Amino acid sequence: YFKISSLTKKYPHLSGALFQTFNDLLLAQRWYDLEIRETLTAKHVIIEGKRPETHLTHIVVPCHLSDSLSMKWLTSIFEDLNDVPELYLAIISEDSSIVYYRISSGIVKPQS
Amino acid sequence: MTKIPLYISNGHAYVWTVEDASELRSKHRICGTLSGTLPHLSQQNFFLGLPLLLMPEEVVLLVENGIAVMVDDATATREPSASDLREWDESRKQVVAEQIEQWQQRETARQALEMTNGQGKGRMSEDALQKRKERLERKAREEGAANTIDENLVISRPTPGPVLQPQSSYMVQIPSTSLSHSWYQPRRYDTLDSAKQAGIWQFPSTLEERASYHVFRDLWEKGHFLGSGIKFGGEFLVYPGDPLRYHSHFVASVLPSHSAEIRPMEIVAHGRLVTATKKSHLLCGWDEETGKVTYLSLEWSGFG
């Protein structure tokens, strides 16, 4: 967890969410080629990795249930990531439960 | 092209004819909600009829696009004058006189046919015919006396003279709308500003209402059909086509500014509900400074 520990000083409020999400993706969801990156304007940390089902690269944005988000924040993350079409928001609770929701840029029909 | 009248009553806009309602739906993608119920049915949730109730967003869009005009329903009818009522009474008498004439013609023809038929069953004897005639005449006189209108008016119906073969009943039509009366003179408003000044319409007046309207308008301009989102916990339901043919693809919620708070719990709630119903949630952010709407689509990831 070298990469994570190096970022916890800079993003103390994110350290819990980041750690939990990384572990969940790696061990429970079995994602691979995980990388941790910082976003510029949004001042946030994201995890990039490959899903075993699709073998495509996806982006996960961790946050806490108690965080305060906004349209501005979400759109700036999309911009920082070079207008990637979609990302997964990972929401962590106090008891370390994680739920993932897909957020797509624009009007995108349901994919399920 | 005549504008569709929207009858404004207590801040709500109603469409009262089938033609207008279907034109709004088929030509302008504006569906509204039917709100008419049957008077004797205590609880009605399905099969509602006219009038069609429009969402305030639908009203503003129609007026701004010059498709509809707002009619002040409450002040549309003035007190009829004495001459108004005289005319109205004359036209009703005219209708009755025409009916009596037609009846007389039919009766004469029928009786002529009966007499030439000889011993048909039900043929009345001369005495019986005379008695019947007297009975009908007596009844017409009694009815004639009872048929004067309000005593306060200086109109009196002349007592009917002896009618050859009086009819004891005739039809009086009561029109279902006031539109044909000369004392119906509604004030019509072609712009939102004039309606606001007259005090009959306020929407949109807050930032939230403006945001809601602009999101509605933007989605409508993109070709969608829109309905109320109350059943799915959102502001609007967004359909790819007529709601009678399609299920909605999106539940839309409106954010009045780009800095408006979105709580992660809301994302969980919206995302979960919408995925369970095969839809997506649409977060619609209104930016008053740029006048643009930004969209983010939300659904459950499928894992986790």
Side-chain angles (χ1 to χ4, degrees):
Chain A
Y1 301 117
F2 177 69
K3 190 67 193 278
I4 295 179
S5 59
S6 67
L7 286 167
T8 48
K9 280 232 171 82
K10 197 172 173 189
Y11 303 92
H13 63 286
L14 274 178
S15 46
L18 191 56
F19 182 69
Q20 289 297 339
T21 311
F22 187 87
N23 275 329
D24 189 70
L25 286 173
L26 180 69
L27 302 170
Q29 310 306 329
R30 302 232 167 253
W31 285 32
Y32 57 97
D33 289 353
L34 292 175
E35 282 176 31
I36 301 180
R37 286 170 33 200
E38 295 173 67
T39 59
L40 287 126
T41 24
K43 297 193 182 65
H44 207 80
V45 185
I46 61 105
I47 302 172
E48 195 176 346
K50 288 200 168 78
R51 270 187 82 171
E53 295 92 356
T54 62
H55 299 290
L56 296 168
T57 307
H58 295 279
I59 299 194
V60 178
V61 181
C63 73
H64 284 286
L65 194 60
S66 53
D67 284 350
S68 186
L69 315 176
S70 69
M71 204 71 178
K72 198 161 87 174
W73 184 79
L74 285 165
T75 52
S76 69
I77 293 205
F78 274 101
E79 280 165 21
D80 285 343
L81 298 168
N82 289 322
D83 293 318
V84 64
E86 65 174 37
L87 54 82
Y88 292 104
L89 187 71
I91 303 170
I92 290 89
S93 316
E94 290 288 307
D95 67 353
S96 49
S97 307
I98 304 186
V99 284
Y100 299 89
Y101 283 89
R102 181 194 301 126
I103 300 183
S104 310
S105 184
I107 303 176
V108 177
K109 281 208 280 260
Q111 296 173 34
S112 53
Chain B
M1 197 184 65
T2 41
K3 293 187 186 177
I4 294 174
L6 303 179
Y7 296 90
I8 311 295
S9 180
N10 202 24
H12 297 282
Y14 297 95
V15 178
W16 282 99
T17 72
V18 171
E19 292 77 17
D20 288 343
S22 63
E23 184 180 327
L24 284 173
R25 193 182 191 104
S26 56
K27 268 174 80 180
H28 304 291
R29 279 180 284 112
I30 296 292
C31 301
T33 347
L34 289 170
S35 61
T37 55
L38 297 171
H40 283 221
L41 231 54
S42 54
Q43 185 188 22
Q44 258 189 288
N45 294 316
F46 304 107
F47 299 128
L48 303 174
L50 290 174
L52 188 73
L53 174 63
L54 298 182
M55 289 194 290
E57 292 86 352
E58 293 176 314
V59 176
V60 174
L61 187 141
L62 289 169
V63 172
E64 281 194 347
N65 282 17
I67 299 166
V69 62
M70 290 200 251
V71 176
D72 186 356
D73 211 11
T75 62
T77 315
R78 63 167 170 79
E79 197 72 26
S81 64
S83 64
D84 282 332
L85 288 169
R86 254 197 302 277
E87 268 180 53
W88 173 78
D89 192 42
E90 281 304 317
S91 66
R92 276 164 71 112
K93 278 199 258 184
Q94 177 73 18
V95 167
V96 170
E98 281 168 13
Q99 285 183 47
I100 290 180
E101 199 188 311
Q102 284 175 5
W103 184 87
Q104 281 173 351
Q105 286 171 1
R106 282 201 301 271
E107 262 300 289
T108 318
R110 188 186 69 77
Q111 284 186 9
L113 194 64
E114 252 185 25
M115 286 187 203
T116 58
N117 271 354
Q119 312 134 347
K121 254 196 192 174
R123 179 188 160 219
M124 295 168 93
S125 66
E126 283 292 314
D127 278 341
L129 274 170
Q130 184 59 28
K131 281 193 182 147
R132 182 166 176 257
K133 183 178 156 193
E134 280 166 8
R135 194 175 68 241
L136 288 174
E137 270 177 334
R138 201 185 334 121
K139 207 173 172 193
R141 270 198 298 278
E142 284 167 17
E143 273 185 1
N147 265 342
T148 47
I149 313 167
D150 195 55
E151 289 163 336
N152 294 331
L153 302 170
V154 189
I155 300 168
S156 61
R157 187 182 288 271
T159 51
V163 180
L164 191 59
Q165 285 177 318
Q167 184 180 356
S168 62
S169 66
Y170 45 78
M171 284 202 299
V172 175
Q173 260 199 328
I174 302 171
S176 57
T177 70
S178 328
L179 305 183
S180 51
H181 295 317
S182 55
W183 54 91
Y184 177 75
Q185 291 163 346
R187 265 169 269 185
R188 297 155 69 94
Y189 300 95
D190 291 275
T191 66
L192 281 172
D193 283 334
S194 58
K196 252 188 193 173
Q197 271 173 22
I200 61 161
W201 189 262
Q202 304 309 321
F203 183 96
S205 49
T206 64
L207 173 62
E208 284 73 22
E209 290 180 350
R210 284 196 298 275
S212 186
Y213 170 62
H214 286 284
V215 167
F216 178 91
R217 200 196 169 91
D218 198 66
L219 287 167
W220 180 86
E221 282 173 353
K222 286 174 156 62
H224 299 102
F225 278 75
L226 292 144
S228 162
I230 182 101
K231 284 182 182 163
F232 290 92
E235 193 69 38
F236 305 114
L237 287 185
V238 184
Y239 299 83
D242 193 309
L244 287 172
R245 296 178 62 196
Y246 298 90
H247 282 296
S248 55
H249 280 174
F250 303 100
V251 178
S253 59
V254 175
L255 295 152
S257 78
H258 274 211
S259 53
E261 191 192 8
I262 302 173
R263 298 203 324 272
M265 191 57 114
E266 290 169 35
I267 295 195
V268 176
H270 290 318
R272 206 56 170 170
L273 170 63
V274 117
T275 301
T277 53
K278 296 197 175 72
K279 302 183 203 295
S280 252
H281 191 94
L282 215 51
L283 291 164
C284 312
W286 164 244
D287 188 348
E288 193 122 284
E289 282 166 38
T290 61
K292 285 204 166 72
V293 184
T294 312
Y295 298 100
L296 290 175
S297 306
L298 164 66
E299 55 175 338
W300 183 49
S301 64
F303 65 88

